[in-house]
């Protein structure tokens, strides 16, 4: 399990999915009543930035390594369909914002320019860099040697066709990403015992939270 977590690409949805495919059967072999099982499930969930219930669902749907696969057409029940790993809140917000920017490039350009790598997840950072240069024609010239970027840009373009785009919705998603950036900065400052930075960022977070609340958003 440690090997799978250590070598996996935890910064992308596809990478986290592959890790779950590896660790699911391992945890299933242990059995849910084994000592330390719950702790390992929580550990995997923490590393994948997802909910423990999702990891447990994948474990339960994983093939049983102790049972040989049965031949097709013998009437045996097929294995349960694996549970797909969900996007993190940051990935959900950044994709919504990028899709809206594609839907209305004239209004979206200002939001693309205000986003920084600190706002983005590891999987979203390359997409932001690409759209900074190709917002008006995102599908042209996509690198063939980067299937992850090509897949994500394609997804965003398709989503842009149905994503409601308004400056208010764009601003909300940007504010939520900024809130996440501030919370990450506060956590890092507290870990480094830099209380001056922590206090400053906490003040900025309070102001931003107040602005979001006054915009009619309920946390």
């Amino acid at each position: 399990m440690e090997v799978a977590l250590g070598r996996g690409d935890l910064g992308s949805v596809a990478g986290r999915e592959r890790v779950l495919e590896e660790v699911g059967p391992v945890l299933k072999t242990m059995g849910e009543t084994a000592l330390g099982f719950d702790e390992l499930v929580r550990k995997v969930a923490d590393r994948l930035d997802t909910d423990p219930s999702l990891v447990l669902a994948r474990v339960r749907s994983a093939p049983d390594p102790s049972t040989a696969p049965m031949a097709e057409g013998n009437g045996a029940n097929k294995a349960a369909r694996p549970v797909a790993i969900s996007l993190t809140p940051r990935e959900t917000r950044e994709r919504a914002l990028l899709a809206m920017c594609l839907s209305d490039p004239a209004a979206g350009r200002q939001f693309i320019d205000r986003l920084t790598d600190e706002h983005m997840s590891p999987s979203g950072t390359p997409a932001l860099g690409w759209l900074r240069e190709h917002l008006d024609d995102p599908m042209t010239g996509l690198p063939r040697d980067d299937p992850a970027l090509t897949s994500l840009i394609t997804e965003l373009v398709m989503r842009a066709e149905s994503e409601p785009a308004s400056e208010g919705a764009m601003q909300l998603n940007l504010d939520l990403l900024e809130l996440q950036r501030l919370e990450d900065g506060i956590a890092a400052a507290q870990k480094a015992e830099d209380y001056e930075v922590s206090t400053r960022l906490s003040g900025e977070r309070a102001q931003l939270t107040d602005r979001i609340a006054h915009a009619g958003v309920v946390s």
Side-chain angles (χ1 to χ4, degrees):
M1 191 183 78
E2 287 289 352
V3 171
L5 289 169
R7 71 186 178 192
D9 176 16
L10 305 186
S12 70
V13 176
R16 296 197 299 274
E17 178 71 20
R18 285 191 291 270
V19 170
L20 268 183
E21 288 178 355
E22 289 190 57
V23 303
V26 175
L27 290 172
K28 187 168 186 175
T29 300
M30 288 182 60
E32 295 183 37
T33 59
L35 183 64
F37 177 85
D38 291 340
E39 181 180 349
L40 289 175
V41 168
R42 287 193 296 272
K43 180 177 182 178
V44 172
D46 287 344
R47 295 285 292 278
L48 299 184
D49 194 17
T50 191
D51 192 272
S53 63
L54 181 61
V55 177
L56 184 58
R58 173 54 65 87
V59 172
R60 290 172 175 170
S61 68
D64 188 347
S66 64
T67 304
M70 303 184 73
E72 289 277 347
N74 62 358
N77 292 330
K78 293 184 179 180
R81 185 177 180 179
V83 180
I85 190 167
S86 61
L87 297 174
T88 66
R90 172 174 274 156
E91 288 169 333
T92 299
R93 291 162 186 158
E94 71 187 14
R95 293 186 186 201
L97 177 54
L98 293 177
M100 285 187 280
C101 291
L102 284 169
S103 180
D104 186 356
R109 170 59 64 186
Q110 61 172 308
F111 293 95
I112 291 289
D113 291 342
R114 289 162 64 187
L115 282 169
T116 69
D117 290 352
E118 291 183 346
H119 290 111
M120 310 300 287
S121 69
S123 63
T125 301
L128 174 61
W130 180 261
L131 293 181
R132 283 195 182 113
E133 304 296 330
H134 304 85
L135 186 61
D136 295 319
D137 191 9
M139 296 299 294
T140 299
L142 281 167
R144 296 183 179 180
D145 59 349
D146 193 342
L149 176 62
T150 299
S151 175
L152 180 51
I153 295 298
T154 302
E155 174 193 332
L156 293 174
V157 169
M158 294 176 64
R159 186 172 179 175
E161 297 177 359
S162 59
E163 191 77 36
S166 69
E167 291 196 36
M170 293 181 198
Q171 184 62 56
L172 172 59
N173 278 282
L174 178 61
D175 285 344
L176 292 172
L177 289 171
E178 173 66 7
L179 187 62
Q180 182 67 62
R181 184 191 72 82
L182 290 172
E183 290 175 347
D184 290 347
I186 292 168
Q190 291 177 343
K191 185 176 181 180
E193 298 184 353
D194 190 338
Y195 300 113
E196 181 179 350
V197 171
S198 176
T199 300
R200 175 175 59 80
L201 294 179
S202 294
E204 293 179 18
R205 180 180 61 181
Q207 293 177 2
L208 178 58
T209 302
D210 184 64
R211 185 169 76 240
I212 293 174
H214 280 80
V217 178
V218 179
S219 299

